[in-house]
Amino acid sequence: MSLSDSDSSSSYGSDYKNLRQISRERLLHEMLRSAKTGNSKSTWKVLIMDRLTVKIMSYSCKMADITQEGVSLVEDIYKRRQPLPSMDAIYFIQPTKENVIMFLSDMSGKSPLYKKAFVFFSSPISRELVSHIKKDSSVLTRIGALREMNLEYFAIDSQGFITDNERALEELFVDEEDSRKGDACLNVMASRIATVFASLREFPFVRYRAAKSLDVTTMTTFRDLIPTKLAARIWDCLIQYKQKTEHFPQTETCELLILDRSIDQIAPIIHEWTYDAMCHDLLNMEGNKYVHEVLSKAGGPPEKKDVLLEEHDPVWLELRHAHIADASERLHEKMTNFVSKNKAAKIQHGSRDGGELSTRDLQQMVQALPQYSEQIDKISLHVEIAGKINKIIRESGLRELGQLEQDLVFGDAGMTDVINFFTTKEDATRENKLRLLMILAAIYPEKFEGEEGHNIMKVVRLPQDDMNAVNNMRLLAGASETKKSSTGAFSLKFDIHKKKRAARKDRTCAEETTWQLSRFYPMIEELIDKLNKGELSKDEYPCMNDPSPTFHGTSQSTPMHQAPAPHSMRSRRTPTWARPRNSDDGYSSDSVLRHASSDFKKMGQRIFVFIVGGATRSEVRRCLIPDQLLWLSLC
């Protein structure tokens, strides 16, 4: 990828800041800090938000950050609140009629709840609502600011965001299409995606997956047009920003690729074998929260402690994209290095007659050596997690199932192998059976039609609800795939000599075969590589805006950007912080955080990918490569 100059990208500085940093700075500095008035005697303010904006704030800022900016109280706009007429209020709310009515109710009349109101809307407000506010003359004199923040996304990661459309699959890919509900979902999605570009001061080329059809007799459905409709709505929002928003770029600075789950039905189902994926797949976690047992200092039973597996944890940051086997080995090395390189720890270890130091031994040692508590706590936490994961893998026979899943995807196994698995592994969990069957349905959709589908159900012995989920896989398929699956009928004869079907081309190389079950890659990987090289088909992935002649010196007749140095298509690049980094203390914490933040300082054109229906961890991981600045939304 060719590098770009700073003036063609974000206006927030010459160095790239990650998405969470930009969101935090805008909320704290551009909103909270700007509400300070020089002649105001009140130094503390009230922050009032609705349910959505509370989530936006919580994804980017901590309570301590908000307090530091002079906020003493955070309130819900829909709850009854105590009048504080001597204090100013900051409203961070959606521009809805209900919110505007609540705001006017707070600030109108002879006895307003607050002295002055600084109002910030999360997205553009309609003229009708602005007129409604202006009608109340008593409120106008009490408004210190009335601005559009245009920040209505959730920065879940340094390079990932969501639009909080959790029911997008249900609302957009249903069997009986409800176009009104689908259009409403796409409108919200488009508005929130556009605020990402408003925050980053980026104007993208908007590319999208075009609807496919075999011939003129194939009906194009609402589902087929989802990326097209979303691209058009996003484009409308961006044009408004371009015309009305100060400092918004007038020429293209980045690329946005809009996809949906039809591009890859297998990625959300197949077992992933990285540390991050295994944590969320196999452990009972609520979001990023993990319940960790720690020894009681009083010598009583273990205490439960909630910990967040997020980017502030350097061990998590280093290991999250590593294969579970690699992560386990590196954790063992960390423990060994800590003991060998810390004198006090060696003394404590030596008193155990040279025996192996367990996690519990290390935790007990912390009580005597408080100066090492942070390092040991972090390492022991992840040793415990990795231990639980490996135990579940062993007890559930997950390696054998994972091998079959990947063999199916790469065409090394077929229906016969799956039926053999179901008949010999009757103790397999309901979830694992369902996932294997859904992979099978994505590769062999025709096998689940008519009598043959009923026969498969008898073999697998899954309840009807699960089989409905399998049958609904067809709703994620494009028009061409649906028609293909309906053109033939097959008998339930599992012929070993039939040619097996592959859903992926094997691109593994020698360096990737170190760890078992790491062959699978998401389809988004190929699309991004082609987009990066200017080789993505304009027929299959058209662009809403024609390339501008001023875009990095290119014209419409030339590729969008220069191809990078050639590299083998059989090798896949590894995220920078998925690689091991060692430090003298056996902990390697600060160094990992430093390297992670420095990756964003590399100047390069941003590529944004939005997947309607959500993104998987393997797809997120693909966006964390060292020589590109990729940004992915999980819907």
Side-chain angles (χ1 to χ4, degrees):
M1 174 178 285
S2 59
L3 301 181
S4 63
D5 296 329
S6 60
D7 60 355
S8 65
S9 196
S10 172
S11 64
Y12 285 93
S14 58
D15 285 342
Y16 272 119
K17 294 187 176 80
N18 70 53
L19 194 59
R20 190 170 269 175
Q21 288 172 333
I22 291 172
S23 304
R24 180 178 180 274
E25 287 187 12
R26 292 201 66 214
L27 290 168
L28 296 180
H29 303 163
E30 194 175 321
M31 185 176 75
L32 299 186
R33 191 170 293 179
S34 69
K36 292 182 178 179
T37 52
N39 57 358
S40 176
K41 295 181 181 179
S42 174
T43 56
W44 292 100
K45 291 181 174 62
V46 182
L47 176 60
I48 300 159
M49 297 182 282
D50 57 35
R51 260 179 269 178
L52 182 88
T53 53
V54 164
K55 289 181 70 174
I56 293 171
M57 182 71 74
S58 64
Y59 271 107
S60 300
C61 306
K62 296 178 181 178
M63 193 62 205
D65 299 328
I66 299 171
T67 304
Q68 195 171 357
E69 294 301 328
V71 173
S72 61
L73 185 63
V74 177
E75 295 270 32
D76 184 336
I77 193 171
Y78 287 105
K79 289 185 179 178
R80 190 169 182 175
R81 285 162 276 132
Q82 177 186 358
L84 297 168
S86 63
M87 295 181 69
D88 293 342
I90 301 171
Y91 285 80
F92 179 37
I93 54 178
Q94 290 177 275
T96 64
K97 184 177 180 180
E98 295 77 11
N99 281 348
V100 169
I101 290 172
M102 290 298 296
F103 159 67
L104 293 175
S105 174
D106 290 348
M107 298 303 298
S108 63
K110 294 182 180 180
S111 304
L113 292 186
Y114 311 106
K115 182 180 179 182
K116 191 176 282 290
F118 297 82
V119 187
F120 299 87
F121 293 108
S122 57
S123 57
I125 183 172
S126 67
R127 291 181 180 179
E128 292 78 13
L129 289 178
V130 173
S131 299
H132 190 52
I133 294 172
K134 288 181 177 180
K135 285 179 183 178
D136 195 327
S137 57
S138 65
V139 173
L140 286 178
T141 58
R142 296 163 184 160
I143 295 178
L146 194 66
R147 289 182 54 191
E148 294 171 345
M149 281 296 291
N150 295 325
L151 201 165
E152 204 169 276
Y153 57 87
F154 308 97
I156 61 165
D157 207 330
S158 58
Q159 287 172 268
F161 67 95
I162 58 175
T163 58
D164 202 37
N165 293 96
E166 295 178 349
R167 304 185 69 170
L169 277 177
E170 181 181 339
E171 293 177 357
L172 297 173
F173 293 91
V174 292
D175 201 355
E176 297 180 3
E177 295 177 348
D178 183 344
S179 59
R180 285 194 306 171
K181 185 180 285 187
D183 282 332
C185 178
L186 290 176
N187 286 336
V188 171
M189 215 177 270
S191 174
R192 293 178 182 174
I193 293 169
T195 66
V196 174
F197 298 99
S199 286
L200 296 175
R201 299 292 191 268
E202 296 272 15
F203 181 41
F205 287 101
V206 181
R207 302 192 67 174
Y208 58 95
R209 181 193 62 78
K212 295 180 180 180
S213 60
L214 286 178
D215 49 52
V216 293
T217 64
T218 304
M219 181 181 293
T220 302
T221 65
F222 180 88
R223 296 191 299 270
D224 298 320
L225 294 170
I226 285 171
T228 307
K229 288 175 175 287
L230 182 58
R233 286 163 169 78
I234 293 173
W235 179 248
D236 289 342
C237 294
L238 292 172
I239 291 300
Q240 293 296 316
Y241 285 139
K242 184 179 178 182
Q243 293 172 351
K244 299 178 180 179
T245 304
E246 189 178 3
H247 304 306
F248 195 82
Q250 297 301 298
T251 57
E252 295 84 355
T253 61
C254 62
E255 299 204 56
L256 167 64
L257 178 61
I258 300 170
L259 309 168
D260 61 22
R261 271 280 43 113
S262 67
I263 62 153
D264 194 344
Q265 299 178 57
I266 296 173
I269 303 164
I270 194 168
H271 283 92
E272 292 182 43
W273 291 82
T274 58
Y275 185 45
D276 179 10
M278 284 284 170
C279 285
H280 289 87
D281 200 0
L282 303 181
L283 305 178
N284 294 322
M285 292 177 57
E286 296 179 16
N288 290 332
K289 185 175 76 174
Y290 173 76
V291 180
H292 177 42
E293 287 192 353
V294 296
L295 290 177
S296 171
K297 293 182 180 179
E303 299 174 352
K304 291 187 176 181
K305 179 182 178 183
D306 292 344
V307 291
L308 294 176
L309 302 181
E310 293 182 336
E311 291 183 344
H312 68 271
D313 179 348
V315 180
W316 171 256
L317 191 65
E318 180 184 350
L319 298 178
R320 60 178 176 168
H321 296 305
H323 190 284
I324 182 61
D326 184 25
S328 299
E329 284 192 7
R330 281 153 65 175
L331 282 168
H332 178 74
E333 290 174 5
K334 285 179 182 294
M335 292 182 70
T336 304
N337 289 340
F338 182 85
V339 172
S340 63
K341 293 182 179 181
N342 290 283
K343 186 176 180 181
K346 273 204 273 188
I347 295 171
Q348 185 75 13
H349 186 213
S351 65
R352 299 188 56 82
D353 302 324
E356 186 69 23
L357 193 64
S358 67
T359 305
R360 188 166 292 272
D361 294 332
L362 283 169
Q363 288 175 317
Q364 290 173 341
M365 184 184 77
V366 169
Q367 297 177 17
L369 302 169
Q371 65 270 36
Y372 297 108
S373 61
E374 182 183 354
Q375 292 95 320
I376 288 293
D377 283 348
K378 291 290 185 188
I379 298 172
S380 60
L381 164 67
H382 290 281
V383 168
E384 176 189 305
I385 293 173
K388 280 186 179 180
I389 291 172
N390 284 315
K391 183 180 179 183
I392 293 170
I393 291 171
R394 287 193 305 270
E395 293 179 349
S396 61
L398 206 54
R399 284 192 179 88
E400 185 178 351
L401 174 65
Q403 187 65 59
L404 178 55
E405 288 176 348
Q406 301 219 6
D407 286 347
L408 268 176
V409 171
F410 288 95
D412 299 327
M415 285 291 297
T416 307
D417 305 280
V418 175
I419 297 301
N420 287 340
F421 178 86
F422 285 139
T423 54
T424 58
K425 300 290 182 182
E426 295 184 0
D427 58 340
T429 66
R430 172 183 167 184
E431 180 191 326
N432 286 340
K433 287 182 179 180
L434 177 59
R435 289 169 74 153
L436 184 58
L437 212 57
M438 291 176 84
I439 293 172
L440 195 65
I443 302 172
Y444 299 94
E446 73 280 356
K447 299 291 184 182
F448 291 83
E449 295 179 355
E451 187 64 26
E452 187 168 9
H454 291 297
N455 290 335
I456 292 175
M457 279 197 285
K458 290 178 184 177
V459 174
V460 182
R461 290 185 292 184
L462 284 176
Q464 186 60 45
D465 285 348
D466 289 348
M467 293 312 301
N468 288 341
V470 175
N471 291 329
N472 284 340
M473 292 287 287
R474 65 185 169 81
L475 299 176
L476 289 176
S480 59
E481 285 80 0
T482 303
K483 186 157 187 180
K484 280 180 191 175
S485 67
S486 63
T487 55
F490 298 82
S491 61
L492 191 61
K493 295 180 181 179
F494 305 107
D495 187 354
I496 296 176
H497 301 293
K498 283 184 180 178
K499 186 177 180 181
K500 293 173 182 175
R501 197 178 299 171
R504 296 288 189 281
K505 295 178 181 178
D506 198 339
R507 304 189 325 184
T508 54
C509 61
E511 66 184 31
E512 289 184 310
T513 56
T514 306
W515 305 112
Q516 193 179 18
L517 305 172
S518 60
R519 295 167 66 193
F520 179 80
Y521 61 91
M523 291 303 296
I524 192 178
E525 189 164 308
E526 291 184 352
L527 296 178
I528 291 173
D529 283 342
K530 288 179 180 178
L531 180 61
N532 185 33
K533 295 176 180 179
E535 297 174 357
L536 193 63
S537 168
K538 291 184 180 180
D539 292 329
E540 296 180 14
Y541 296 91
C543 185
M544 292 295 298
N545 40 340
D546 292 327
S548 167
T550 59
F551 181 60
H552 301 306
T554 64
S555 66
Q556 189 169 352
S557 61
T558 59
M560 260 182 216
H561 29 248
Q562 298 295 320
H567 66 276
S568 171
M569 285 299 293
R570 293 181 58 83
S571 66
R572 302 202 304 281
R573 288 161 288 181
T574 308
T576 305
W577 50 69
R579 297 177 183 144
R581 290 190 178 100
N582 299 318
S583 67
D584 295 335
D585 63 358
Y587 177 44
S588 67
S589 55
D590 296 336
S591 60
V592 174
L593 291 172
R594 281 198 303 272
H595 281 290
S597 61
S598 68
D599 289 335
F600 294 102
K601 295 182 180 180
K602 299 186 179 185
M603 301 305 293
Q605 175 193 313
R606 284 185 172 110
I607 296 176
F608 296 79
V609 182
F610 186 84
I611 304 179
V612 180
T616 68
R617 285 182 163 75
S618 62
E619 288 163 338
V620 172
R621 190 167 61 252
R622 173 59 186 89
C623 291
L624 302 178
I625 61 176
D627 61 341
Q628 292 177 4
L629 285 164
L630 285 158
W631 307 72
L632 184 69
S633 173
L634 288 70
C635 189

